[in-house]
Structures are given as C-alpha cells and as structure tokens.
Amino acid sequence: MSINRRNILKYGAAGAAFLAAPFSLKVSQASPDFFSITAAPIKKSLMGAGGPLSDLWLYDGQTPGPEIRIKQGEYVMARLVNELEEPTTIHWHGIRIDNAMDGVPGLTQQAVMPGETFDYYFLAPDAGTYYYHSHNKTWSQVARGLYGPLIIEEKDEIFDKDHDLTLIIDDWRIGQDGKLDLASLGSMMDWSHGGRLGNLLTVNSQNQPSFKLNAGEDYRLRLINAANSRILEIDPSRFDAKILAYDGQSIGEPKKLSYSPLLLGPAQRVDLLITPKAGGDFSLEELSSGQAYAFANFEIVGEKSVTPSLKQLPLNSIPEPDIKNAKIFPLKMSGGAMRRVGDIYYQGKKLQGDDFRNTGQVWAFNGVANLPEKPFFTVKQGETVIIETINDTNFIHAMHVHGHHFRVIDRSGSDIDEGNPWRDTFLIGSEQTVKIAFVADNKGKWLYHCHMLEHAAAGMITWFEVV
Ligand code: C2O
Ligand code: CU
C-alpha cells in the first residue's frame, strides 16, 4: 500500500480541531484519519526474486518502507504498530518537528513496546526530501530495513509524479549464504572503526535497477543515503546533473557542482535536476572504491531536444543565525580505534580495562560516552547557537542535529561547503574542526549525534535543550 494524501488529514480541512489536542493521542481516541504503519519481521530476498530469504524487519512488509507523501503545511498522522520482538520508535529525519513527535526513546517518548502502538501527529513545515527510520537500537533495526522515504511536496507542483523519482540507497551486508548477515550485527570491530559497511548496494532495495527517462524533459532525482555508515561518493556532473537541494532544503537556483565527488554521508540527501539528451543513457556510479560502480542505470528514450531548464525549488523559510550574538559550544569527539582512547566516562563512571568491551562504549563527546543525564547545553528559544565540533579521532563522522537545520560557517583546512546550504547532517574529517550555526527556535530536547549508527550506539550521542 502506498500512503498518499488520501489517508492523511489535510492542514486546514480538519487540522484546526487538532491544534489543541494532546500530542500523544490514546489509541482509543485516535481519529480514523491516522494511517497505520506496521513494523514487523518478514522473510524476503535481497538478491532478486527466488534468492535466499533474509530475516528483515520492515515497515508494512516493504523495503524501503512505504513512501509517505504530503504537501508542505499538512500534517502527518501515522500510527506506528509494533509487531517486532523489541521496542521501537520512528524518527522523522530532518523535519523541524514538534519535539514530542521526534521519536527518541528515553528523551522525547517511551519506546513503543511489542504489541503496542504510538500515534505520530505533526506538521511538516518545509518542502523537501526526508526519510523516516527506527530510532531504537538504530544500528540493528535500520540495518534490518526499518526506514522509508518521507516526501514533503512543494505547495505548487514543480515536477509531476512521472518526473520525480525517489532513490533510497542502502548497503546491506550479505553473508556467504546470500542472506542479510545478522551474526555480525553489533561487532565491536565495526563499532570502533568505520561502522557497519555492506557489500550489496541497492536502490529502493533493488540491485542495479533501470529507469526509463524521456529525452528533453526535466527530472528530479531524490537521493537518500539510508546506509548505516557508508559515505557514498558520486559525481553528478558526469551526467550533467545540477543540485536542487541538500538535506531537503532547496538551494534556490540549481547549480552544477564545481568539484567531484559529492560525498553523501549516512542520512544525507541530495535532490538532482537532470534533463537527459536523446541517446544519453547514463548510470549513477559510486566512486569510493576508486573504481566506478554503476548502481542504477538510466535509459533515455525519445528524441526531444533539450532546452535549458527553468525549474527550481522555492526556499523554505528558516531563520538566519545571528552570528554576532551567538552562544558557542565546543564539542570534542574522541575515542575509536587507532587512537589513545583517553578518559571516557559512561553513566558517571570512568571506563577502564574490560569496561570498553562490556559496555560497548568506545567513543565520547567531551569525554562522555552516550546520553548524559544533563544536556550538552541549554539555550533559550530564538538564540543562535554555534556548535564547534572538534574531531580528535582517526575517522570521518556524519553529525546530525535533530529538529533544526544549520549552516556550516567554518571548516578547518578547507572551504565551507559550496553555496553554504542548509543541512541537517554534515561530514567532518579526521582532525577537522567544523562550526555550524542555527537559530534554536524549536523548543524541546534534541539529539546531536553521529549518524554512523554504530558510532552513535558506541557513545557518539548527546543532547541539548531549547527552553
Ligand atoms: Cu536520522 Cu537521530 O537520526
Ligand atoms: Cu561517527
């Protein structure tokens, strides 16, 4: 089943009646306008029809989970039904969301127990490409398939549905038997190094799918990196694509990248504009191995000639940070393999010897592994925050702020990102210091964590509060 506007309440139609309603509606009071989304185990082949069956955990039995599509300014009303054997939640990644709906167990809600449900009800303020995923035992639940696209359409249609393609990319780790490798989930080797990397790169769970596009027409490709830890390297200029948006946020006038490759870290998104030429078949290639690997193929049909595209996406309205009056919070990342770990405190206690293996905690922010009891910082709503992240580890990381989009304002040893776009996740190299700035305009308790899911589980996660 695809979830479309039909089963989602429109903002304006009956939305007003809900404005005063409490945010966690009890099931018994839930309106029939909630669509349900069921997390459950299922056996499926990842190796094409007839292949060995993997033990997956999916939303509505599909990988990726059903595409949720609404228009900007409408509400998402989703009832999560948990048919897993573990507690779970849904996080709506990149949405500047009501805090109570952010889906973080232990911080914004209780995890949803097996057999229970939770009603998510929130306004989608910004158009763009987002996704949703489990936020409990994320390193395991997302690796088993609990994610799906969340598309917030612009108020006025810019690309119709035939010219708007979602490509959600994942790298699965497949064992010798052709099934999803479950035995290696939680491997300390992955947790202390670069995270869990897979060996099967899929688009919408398909191995090297093909798409047919018409020559001379404008298309929007929404690329979403749903991998646990892999950074994808792609070169949009190889097929004459322009950037429309990063992490859901339009950049205004579409631009060609002046460099290559584009790094798409875990949880990052990029929207591309392409107007294929007649006969101009092309592939999306992943370049990180040094050898181009074509993971999706595009066949161009028809003869229409290309006219310069006038398409662009409207900007969402996000408050500009007030850098002069900002509060600055430094955060030092430490730990991991190939470094002296230094002092790491976990649950108030200094880790030593076997503690690292026993707790699985090997990374820290400002010397603390995992969620501290007290927030990393507290600010008043409306204040500008600068987080200065100092990567004192041997690895690259993908840092994500919940509930806000930010701009990178400084990146040591390199230019700031071209066009200085809004983002919700940024990459930070080993030994690099990156400053991001945003207006903390969204009240509540928000995570700041590495989106390499093994790193988050092994300590790289903290939170801040906007009051
Ligand atoms: Cu997409 Cu806290 O994550
Ligand atoms: Cu990391």
Side-chain angles (χ1 to χ4, degrees):
M1 185 201 83
S2 110
I3 291 169
N4 55 36
R5 232 167 295 136
R6 228 170 356 97
N7 38 29
I8 294 177
L9 186 68
K10 284 198 182 71
Y11 178 45
F18 278 88
L19 291 177
F23 274 107
S24 20
L25 301 171
K26 289 268 156 37
V27 178
S28 54
Q29 337 172 312
S31 120
D33 295 310
F34 278 79
F35 64 84
S36 74
I37 181 156
T38 302
I42 184 168
K43 287 190 190 297
K44 269 207 161 170
S45 165
L46 289 171
M47 311 287 288
L53 300 180
S54 289
D55 285 301
L56 304 182
W57 289 4
L58 302 179
Y59 293 118
D60 287 0
Q62 293 175 218
T63 167
E67 181 164 296
I68 300 175
R69 247 179 198 267
I70 61 160
K71 271 208 191 313
Q72 180 177 20
E74 291 178 356
Y75 281 88
V76 171
M77 301 180 74
R79 170 170 306 163
L80 166 63
V81 180
N82 184 5
E83 291 181 1
L84 305 169
E85 65 206 31
E86 285 181 359
T88 195
T89 61
I90 297 180
H91 171 59
W92 311 90
H93 183 112
I95 302 288
R96 298 189 297 137
I97 199 170
D98 184 291
N99 190 242
M101 297 291 117
D102 199 38
V104 180
L107 196 69
T108 67
Q109 70 169 96
Q110 308 271 25
V112 184
M113 300 308 283
E116 295 190 345
T117 67
F118 187 89
D119 289 344
Y120 290 98
Y121 166 74
F122 59 90
L123 178 77
D126 300 327
T129 303
Y130 303 90
Y131 79 124
Y132 60 96
H133 61 77
S134 152
H135 215 297
N136 193 48
K137 284 184 73 177
T138 315
W139 53 275
S140 163
Q141 295 193 359
V142 169
R144 289 166 179 257
L146 286 173
Y147 60 78
L150 170 57
I151 305 300
I152 313 298
E153 297 172 345
E154 288 74 26
K155 286 186 175 143
D156 300 314
E157 180 177 89
I158 297 170
F159 295 86
D160 65 25
K161 71 168 183 1
D162 295 333
H163 296 83
D164 182 345
L165 279 63
T166 303
L167 291 89
I168 188 158
I169 306 162
D170 195 1
D171 70 331
W172 308 81
R173 190 183 287 180
I174 304 296
Q176 294 293 336
D177 56 0
K179 300 178 185 174
L180 180 65
D181 177 354
L182 298 175
S184 65
L185 273 173
S187 136
M188 275 316 281
M189 183 70 181
D190 294 340
W191 285 33
S192 60
H193 289 73
R196 179 181 174 92
L197 300 176
N199 50 12
L200 173 68
L201 196 64
T202 60
V203 172
N204 304 337
S205 91
Q206 276 172 301
N207 194 357
Q208 298 181 303
S210 298
F211 300 88
K212 269 203 182 90
L213 308 180
N214 295 327
E217 297 178 9
D218 296 329
Y219 289 86
R220 175 184 193 164
L221 303 185
R222 304 172 184 260
L223 273 49
I224 304 170
N225 183 352
N228 275 38
S229 286
R230 181 178 294 278
I231 298 168
L232 301 166
E233 298 188 16
I234 47 186
D235 182 0
S237 302
R238 286 194 182 193
F239 46 93
D240 263 336
K242 290 181 175 167
I243 310 287
L244 284 164
Y246 289 105
D247 292 356
Q249 302 297 342
S250 165
I251 63 165
E253 194 192 323
K255 289 211 178 60
K256 275 233 163 91
L257 265 196
S258 67
Y259 58 88
S260 162
L262 170 79
L263 301 186
L264 195 66
Q268 290 189 317
R269 288 90 66 212
V270 64
D271 288 33
L272 301 175
L273 169 66
I274 49 165
T275 317
K277 290 193 187 66
D281 293 2
F282 67 92
S283 299
L284 262 174
E285 295 167 314
E286 210 285 320
L287 305 169
S288 62
S289 71
Q291 232 182 332
Y293 173 72
F295 63 98
N297 300 308
F298 294 83
E299 187 194 330
I300 311 308
V301 295
E303 295 297 328
K304 209 157 68 183
S305 58
V306 172
T307 49
S309 173
L310 297 174
K311 295 243 155 86
Q312 72 176 64
L313 305 176
L315 297 170
N316 292 311
S317 82
I318 301 178
E320 278 300 333
D322 171 12
I323 304 294
K324 268 196 243 107
N325 296 306
K327 296 210 161 145
I328 304 179
F329 301 98
L331 181 137
K332 187 165 167 183
M333 319 172 84
S334 65
M338 299 188 282
R339 269 295 155 97
R340 219 183 59 80
V341 176
D343 288 353
I344 295 186
Y345 286 82
Y346 175 57
Q347 297 178 341
K349 181 172 160 276
K350 188 166 145 185
L351 299 180
Q352 35 209 351
D354 283 348
D355 294 348
F356 294 101
R357 182 157 293 277
N358 294 338
T359 61
Q361 300 301 301
V362 290
W363 305 91
F365 288 163
N366 292 339
V368 177
N370 231 290
L371 277 194
E373 208 174 298
K374 292 223 185 79
F376 165 34
F377 60 81
T378 302
V379 289
K380 286 207 204 78
Q381 188 175 26
E383 285 184 312
T384 292
V385 167
I386 293 177
I387 303 179
E388 179 184 30
T389 305
I390 304 141
N391 181 1
D392 191 19
T393 78
N394 260 6
F395 292 84
I396 187 169
H397 301 284
M399 295 299 295
H400 172 45
V401 178
H402 278 217
H404 300 79
H405 273 73
F406 53 80
R407 292 193 195 276
V408 171
I409 57 167
D410 194 48
R411 195 180 262 290
S412 69
S414 129
D415 293 338
I416 56 166
D417 315 26
E418 196 164 85
N420 195 12
W422 292 112
R423 299 224 69 140
D424 60 45
T425 305
F426 69 95
L427 292 168
I428 180 169
S430 172
E431 302 293 334
Q432 200 169 53
T433 295
V434 174
K435 289 186 191 161
I436 61 168
F438 61 93
V439 178
D441 61 344
N442 202 351
K443 263 202 253 176
K445 298 175 173 176
W446 303 105
L447 291 182
Y448 181 49
H449 67 89
C450 183
H451 217 289
M452 291 171 166
L453 302 175
E454 291 70 31
H455 292 175
M460 289 201 147
I461 184 164
T462 188
W463 63 287
F464 62 95
E465 188 162 24
V466 181
V467 295

PDB file of all heavy atoms in Angstrom, residues 294-318:
ATOM      1  N   ALA A 294      28.455   1.105 -11.145  1.00  0.00           N
ATOM      2  CA  ALA A 294      27.149   1.602 -11.584  1.00  0.00           C
ATOM      3  C   ALA A 294      26.059   0.924 -10.770  1.00  0.00           C
ATOM      4  O   ALA A 294      25.867  -0.276 -10.886  1.00  0.00           O
ATOM      5  CB  ALA A 294      26.959   1.323 -13.065  1.00  0.00           C
ATOM      6  N   PHE A 295      25.364   1.685  -9.931  1.00  0.00           N
ATOM      7  CA  PHE A 295      24.356   1.051  -9.079  1.00  0.00           C
ATOM      8  C   PHE A 295      22.929   1.358  -9.505  1.00  0.00           C
ATOM      9  O   PHE A 295      21.975   0.809  -8.944  1.00  0.00           O
ATOM     10  CB  PHE A 295      24.598   1.363  -7.597  1.00  0.00           C
ATOM     11  CG  PHE A 295      24.491   2.817  -7.224  1.00  0.00           C
ATOM     12  CD1 PHE A 295      23.317   3.307  -6.666  1.00  0.00           C
ATOM     13  CD2 PHE A 295      25.558   3.677  -7.400  1.00  0.00           C
ATOM     14  CE1 PHE A 295      23.208   4.640  -6.297  1.00  0.00           C
ATOM     15  CE2 PHE A 295      25.462   5.020  -7.040  1.00  0.00           C
ATOM     16  CZ  PHE A 295      24.281   5.492  -6.496  1.00  0.00           C
ATOM     17  N   ALA A 296      22.746   2.224 -10.481  1.00  0.00           N
ATOM     18  CA  ALA A 296      21.421   2.447 -11.070  1.00  0.00           C
ATOM     19  C   ALA A 296      21.654   2.925 -12.499  1.00  0.00           C
ATOM     20  O   ALA A 296      22.566   3.709 -12.755  1.00  0.00           O
ATOM     21  CB  ALA A 296      20.639   3.491 -10.284  1.00  0.00           C
ATOM     22  N   ASN A 297      20.830   2.417 -13.415  1.00  0.00           N
ATOM     23  CA  ASN A 297      21.018   2.736 -14.828  1.00  0.00           C
ATOM     24  C   ASN A 297      19.807   3.481 -15.375  1.00  0.00           C
ATOM     25  O   ASN A 297      18.672   3.179 -15.009  1.00  0.00           O
ATOM     26  CB  ASN A 297      21.238   1.451 -15.635  1.00  0.00           C
ATOM     27  CG  ASN A 297      22.468   0.710 -15.129  1.00  0.00           C
ATOM     28  OD1 ASN A 297      23.540   1.283 -15.009  1.00  0.00           O
ATOM     29  ND2 ASN A 297      22.276  -0.565 -14.796  1.00  0.00           N
ATOM     30  N   PHE A 298      20.084   4.422 -16.241  1.00  0.00           N
ATOM     31  CA  PHE A 298      19.021   5.245 -16.805  1.00  0.00           C
ATOM     32  C   PHE A 298      19.072   5.139 -18.324  1.00  0.00           C
ATOM     33  O   PHE A 298      20.104   5.403 -18.939  1.00  0.00           O
ATOM     34  CB  PHE A 298      19.183   6.697 -16.361  1.00  0.00           C
ATOM     35  CG  PHE A 298      18.988   6.863 -14.877  1.00  0.00           C
ATOM     36  CD1 PHE A 298      20.041   6.606 -13.994  1.00  0.00           C
ATOM     37  CD2 PHE A 298      17.757   7.224 -14.355  1.00  0.00           C
ATOM     38  CE1 PHE A 298      19.859   6.719 -12.622  1.00  0.00           C
ATOM     39  CE2 PHE A 298      17.575   7.345 -12.979  1.00  0.00           C
ATOM     40  CZ  PHE A 298      18.620   7.084 -12.108  1.00  0.00           C
ATOM     41  N   GLU A 299      17.947   4.694 -18.875  1.00  0.00           N
ATOM     42  CA  GLU A 299      17.853   4.566 -20.323  1.00  0.00           C
ATOM     43  C   GLU A 299      17.036   5.741 -20.831  1.00  0.00           C
ATOM     44  O   GLU A 299      15.945   6.019 -20.314  1.00  0.00           O
ATOM     45  CB  GLU A 299      17.141   3.235 -20.639  1.00  0.00           C
ATOM     46  CG  GLU A 299      17.113   2.893 -22.097  1.00  0.00           C
ATOM     47  CD  GLU A 299      16.104   1.776 -22.357  1.00  0.00           C
ATOM     48  OE1 GLU A 299      15.891   0.931 -21.463  1.00  0.00           O
ATOM     49  OE2 GLU A 299      15.513   1.780 -23.448  1.00  0.00           O
ATOM     50  N   ILE A 300      17.566   6.427 -21.810  1.00  0.00           N
ATOM     51  CA  ILE A 300      16.897   7.634 -22.299  1.00  0.00           C
ATOM     52  C   ILE A 300      16.155   7.305 -23.588  1.00  0.00           C
ATOM     53  O   ILE A 300      16.747   6.801 -24.549  1.00  0.00           O
ATOM     54  CB  ILE A 300      17.926   8.766 -22.549  1.00  0.00           C
ATOM     55  CG1 ILE A 300      18.855   8.922 -21.335  1.00  0.00           C
ATOM     56  CG2 ILE A 300      17.204  10.069 -22.885  1.00  0.00           C
ATOM     57  CD1 ILE A 300      18.150   9.075 -20.003  1.00  0.00           C
ATOM     58  N   VAL A 301      14.863   7.576 -23.587  1.00  0.00           N
ATOM     59  CA  VAL A 301      14.050   7.253 -24.758  1.00  0.00           C
ATOM     60  C   VAL A 301      13.540   8.550 -25.400  1.00  0.00           C
ATOM     61  O   VAL A 301      13.429   9.575 -24.731  1.00  0.00           O
ATOM     62  CB  VAL A 301      12.857   6.329 -24.399  1.00  0.00           C
ATOM     63  CG1 VAL A 301      13.371   4.981 -23.920  1.00  0.00           C
ATOM     64  CG2 VAL A 301      11.961   6.960 -23.348  1.00  0.00           C
ATOM     65  N   GLY A 302      13.213   8.482 -26.685  1.00  0.00           N
ATOM     66  CA  GLY A 302      12.685   9.653 -27.395  1.00  0.00           C
ATOM     67  C   GLY A 302      13.798  10.520 -27.946  1.00  0.00           C
ATOM     68  O   GLY A 302      14.977  10.283 -27.709  1.00  0.00           O
ATOM     69  N   GLU A 303      13.361  11.519 -28.694  1.00  0.00           N
ATOM     70  CA  GLU A 303      14.315  12.306 -29.486  1.00  0.00           C
ATOM     71  C   GLU A 303      14.251  13.786 -29.146  1.00  0.00           C
ATOM     72  O   GLU A 303      14.958  14.587 -29.744  1.00  0.00           O
ATOM     73  CB  GLU A 303      13.973  12.153 -30.987  1.00  0.00           C
ATOM     74  CG  GLU A 303      14.139  10.739 -31.539  1.00  0.00           C
ATOM     75  CD  GLU A 303      15.576  10.249 -31.472  1.00  0.00           C
ATOM     76  OE1 GLU A 303      16.482  11.093 -31.592  1.00  0.00           O
ATOM     77  OE2 GLU A 303      15.786   9.032 -31.258  1.00  0.00           O
ATOM     78  N   LYS A 304      13.355  14.140 -28.245  1.00  0.00           N
ATOM     79  CA  LYS A 304      13.157  15.578 -27.984  1.00  0.00           C
ATOM     80  C   LYS A 304      14.481  16.247 -27.619  1.00  0.00           C
ATOM     81  O   LYS A 304      15.270  15.694 -26.856  1.00  0.00           O
ATOM     82  CB  LYS A 304      12.147  15.753 -26.846  1.00  0.00           C
ATOM     83  CG  LYS A 304      11.377  17.044 -26.986  1.00  0.00           C
ATOM     84  CD  LYS A 304      10.027  17.083 -26.287  1.00  0.00           C
ATOM     85  CE  LYS A 304      10.143  17.058 -24.802  1.00  0.00           C
ATOM     86  NZ  LYS A 304       8.985  17.024 -24.009  1.00  0.00           N
ATOM     87  N   SER A 305      14.693  17.434 -28.151  1.00  0.00           N
ATOM     88  CA  SER A 305      15.966  18.095 -27.836  1.00  0.00           C
ATOM     89  C   SER A 305      15.825  18.871 -26.527  1.00  0.00           C
ATOM     90  O   SER A 305      14.732  19.212 -26.090  1.00  0.00           O
ATOM     91  CB  SER A 305      16.420  18.990 -28.975  1.00  0.00           C
ATOM     92  OG  SER A 305      15.418  19.938 -29.234  1.00  0.00           O
ATOM     93  N   VAL A 306      16.971  19.130 -25.943  1.00  0.00           N
ATOM     94  CA  VAL A 306      17.000  19.730 -24.615  1.00  0.00           C
ATOM     95  C   VAL A 306      16.913  21.241 -24.719  1.00  0.00           C
ATOM     96  O   VAL A 306      17.647  21.863 -25.469  1.00  0.00           O
ATOM     97  CB  VAL A 306      18.330  19.332 -23.922  1.00  0.00           C
ATOM     98  CG1 VAL A 306      18.501  20.084 -22.629  1.00  0.00           C
ATOM     99  CG2 VAL A 306      18.370  17.834 -23.702  1.00  0.00           C
ATOM    100  N   THR A 307      15.992  21.832 -23.967  1.00  0.00           N
ATOM    101  CA  THR A 307      16.018  23.292 -23.824  1.00  0.00           C
ATOM    102  C   THR A 307      16.413  23.574 -22.385  1.00  0.00           C
ATOM    103  O   THR A 307      16.124  22.772 -21.501  1.00  0.00           O
ATOM    104  CB  THR A 307      14.627  23.908 -24.111  1.00  0.00           C
ATOM    105  OG1 THR A 307      13.666  23.171 -23.369  1.00  0.00           O
ATOM    106  CG2 THR A 307      14.284  23.843 -25.584  1.00  0.00           C
ATOM    107  N   PRO A 308      17.089  24.695 -22.138  1.00  0.00           N
ATOM    108  CA  PRO A 308      17.569  24.950 -20.773  1.00  0.00           C
ATOM    109  C   PRO A 308      16.411  24.930 -19.774  1.00  0.00           C
ATOM    110  O   PRO A 308      15.367  25.530 -20.016  1.00  0.00           O
ATOM    111  CB  PRO A 308      18.187  26.349 -20.872  1.00  0.00           C
ATOM    112  CG  PRO A 308      18.426  26.577 -22.318  1.00  0.00           C
ATOM    113  CD  PRO A 308      17.419  25.764 -23.073  1.00  0.00           C
ATOM    114  N   SER A 309      16.610  24.235 -18.691  1.00  0.00           N
ATOM    115  CA  SER A 309      15.533  24.080 -17.717  1.00  0.00           C
ATOM    116  C   SER A 309      15.337  25.351 -16.907  1.00  0.00           C
ATOM    117  O   SER A 309      16.285  26.035 -16.552  1.00  0.00           O
ATOM    118  CB  SER A 309      15.886  22.949 -16.761  1.00  0.00           C
ATOM    119  OG  SER A 309      14.922  22.905 -15.732  1.00  0.00           O
ATOM    120  N   LEU A 310      14.087  25.659 -16.631  1.00  0.00           N
ATOM    121  CA  LEU A 310      13.778  26.825 -15.793  1.00  0.00           C
ATOM    122  C   LEU A 310      13.342  26.387 -14.401  1.00  0.00           C
ATOM    123  O   LEU A 310      12.923  27.187 -13.580  1.00  0.00           O
ATOM    124  CB  LEU A 310      12.656  27.649 -16.448  1.00  0.00           C
ATOM    125  CG  LEU A 310      13.024  28.230 -17.811  1.00  0.00           C
ATOM    126  CD1 LEU A 310      11.830  28.908 -18.462  1.00  0.00           C
ATOM    127  CD2 LEU A 310      14.179  29.229 -17.667  1.00  0.00           C
ATOM    128  N   LYS A 311      13.425  25.072 -14.166  1.00  0.00           N
ATOM    129  CA  LYS A 311      12.909  24.568 -12.895  1.00  0.00           C
ATOM    130  C   LYS A 311      13.814  24.940 -11.731  1.00  0.00           C
ATOM    131  O   LYS A 311      15.038  24.851 -11.818  1.00  0.00           O
ATOM    132  CB  LYS A 311      12.805  23.039 -12.981  1.00  0.00           C
ATOM    133  CG  LYS A 311      11.784  22.591 -14.016  1.00  0.00           C
ATOM    134  CD  LYS A 311      10.650  21.838 -13.385  1.00  0.00           C
ATOM    135  CE  LYS A 311       9.374  21.898 -14.193  1.00  0.00           C
ATOM    136  NZ  LYS A 311       9.296  20.875 -15.221  1.00  0.00           N
ATOM    137  N   GLN A 312      13.214  25.347 -10.654  1.00  0.00           N
ATOM    138  CA  GLN A 312      13.942  25.473  -9.394  1.00  0.00           C
ATOM    139  C   GLN A 312      12.958  25.346  -8.254  1.00  0.00           C
ATOM    140  O   GLN A 312      11.752  25.475  -8.446  1.00  0.00           O
ATOM    141  CB  GLN A 312      14.757  26.759  -9.324  1.00  0.00           C
ATOM    142  CG  GLN A 312      13.967  28.032  -9.144  1.00  0.00           C
ATOM    143  CD  GLN A 312      14.933  29.217  -8.998  1.00  0.00           C
ATOM    144  OE1 GLN A 312      15.671  29.552  -9.910  1.00  0.00           O
ATOM    145  NE2 GLN A 312      14.914  29.855  -7.838  1.00  0.00           N
ATOM    146  N   LEU A 313      13.464  25.056  -7.077  1.00  0.00           N
ATOM    147  CA  LEU A 313      12.585  24.837  -5.936  1.00  0.00           C
ATOM    148  C   LEU A 313      12.539  26.100  -5.088  1.00  0.00           C
ATOM    149  O   LEU A 313      13.559  26.753  -4.884  1.00  0.00           O
ATOM    150  CB  LEU A 313      13.114  23.688  -5.070  1.00  0.00           C
ATOM    151  CG  LEU A 313      13.356  22.362  -5.789  1.00  0.00           C
ATOM    152  CD1 LEU A 313      13.977  21.350  -4.829  1.00  0.00           C
ATOM    153  CD2 LEU A 313      12.052  21.815  -6.355  1.00  0.00           C
ATOM    154  N   PRO A 314      11.361  26.439  -4.578  1.00  0.00           N
ATOM    155  CA  PRO A 314      11.284  27.600  -3.678  1.00  0.00           C
ATOM    156  C   PRO A 314      12.065  27.318  -2.395  1.00  0.00           C
ATOM    157  O   PRO A 314      12.248  26.171  -2.004  1.00  0.00           O
ATOM    158  CB  PRO A 314       9.790  27.725  -3.389  1.00  0.00           C
ATOM    159  CG  PRO A 314       9.208  26.388  -3.682  1.00  0.00           C
ATOM    160  CD  PRO A 314      10.072  25.750  -4.730  1.00  0.00           C
ATOM    161  N   LEU A 315      12.520  28.381  -1.759  1.00  0.00           N
ATOM    162  CA  LEU A 315      13.237  28.219  -0.491  1.00  0.00           C
ATOM    163  C   LEU A 315      12.247  28.043   0.640  1.00  0.00           C
ATOM    164  O   LEU A 315      11.185  28.671   0.638  1.00  0.00           O
ATOM    165  CB  LEU A 315      14.087  29.468  -0.212  1.00  0.00           C
ATOM    166  CG  LEU A 315      15.201  29.764  -1.223  1.00  0.00           C
ATOM    167  CD1 LEU A 315      15.792  31.153  -0.965  1.00  0.00           C
ATOM    168  CD2 LEU A 315      16.301  28.703  -1.143  1.00  0.00           C
ATOM    169  N   ASN A 316      12.592  27.203   1.587  1.00  0.00           N
ATOM    170  CA  ASN A 316      11.808  27.141   2.823  1.00  0.00           C
ATOM    171  C   ASN A 316      12.231  28.319   3.691  1.00  0.00           C
ATOM    172  O   ASN A 316      13.326  28.842   3.534  1.00  0.00           O
ATOM    173  CB  ASN A 316      12.090  25.835   3.551  1.00  0.00           C
ATOM    174  CG  ASN A 316      11.542  24.632   2.795  1.00  0.00           C
ATOM    175  OD1 ASN A 316      10.381  24.634   2.378  1.00  0.00           O
ATOM    176  ND2 ASN A 316      12.354  23.604   2.614  1.00  0.00           N
ATOM    177  N   SER A 317      11.369  28.714   4.619  1.00  0.00           N
ATOM    178  CA  SER A 317      11.819  29.857   5.414  1.00  0.00           C
ATOM    179  C   SER A 317      12.373  29.392   6.750  1.00  0.00           C
ATOM    180  O   SER A 317      11.658  28.958   7.636  1.00  0.00           O
ATOM    181  CB  SER A 317      10.734  30.928   5.525  1.00  0.00           C
ATOM    182  OG  SER A 317       9.832  30.588   6.517  1.00  0.00           O
ATOM    183  N   ILE A 318      13.676  29.479   6.833  1.00  0.00           N
ATOM    184  CA  ILE A 318      14.418  29.061   8.022  1.00  0.00           C
ATOM    185  C   ILE A 318      15.121  30.302   8.545  1.00  0.00           C
ATOM    186  O   ILE A 318      15.716  31.042   7.752  1.00  0.00           O
ATOM    187  CB  ILE A 318      15.453  27.972   7.651  1.00  0.00           C
ATOM    188  CG1 ILE A 318      14.730  26.785   7.035  1.00  0.00           C
ATOM    189  CG2 ILE A 318      16.274  27.549   8.859  1.00  0.00           C
ATOM    190  CD1 ILE A 318      15.643  25.678   6.593  1.00  0.00           C
TER     191      ILE A 318
END
